[in-house]
Amino acid sequence: MKVKHHDSIDVICAVVTASHERPRELNVGLPPDEGLRIVGRVGPLTAATKDLAEHLQEPT
């Protein structure tokens, strides 16, 4: 029997390349105690993952 294990973690979308309406890539980070630590990049985004654009917000 083969068993796959998946771990998940919450990340912050730190950088969007292109525009919020049509994102091409995302840089994601972890919120440590001091500042933001970039941990990876996702992209190029497919049409299915571009649906996340409606959830992106300008930084405050």
Side-chain angles (χ1 to χ4, degrees):
M1 176 191 295
K2 190 175 192 180
V3 178
K4 291 185 179 184
H5 297 277
H6 297 277
D7 293 327
S8 63
I9 189 168
D10 291 330
V11 296
I12 295 173
C13 175
V15 177
V16 176
T17 62
S19 68
H20 283 135
E21 294 80 25
R22 298 181 66 194
R24 244 190 341 245
E25 294 180 337
L26 305 176
N27 286 348
V28 294
L30 295 174
D33 295 334
E34 297 178 18
L36 179 70
R37 186 173 62 128
I38 301 297
V39 294
R41 183 180 67 179
V42 179
L45 301 177
T46 65
T49 56
K50 286 183 182 180
D51 289 339
L52 71 91
E54 66 187 55
H55 302 287
L56 296 175
Q57 299 176 7
E58 292 289 332
T60 56

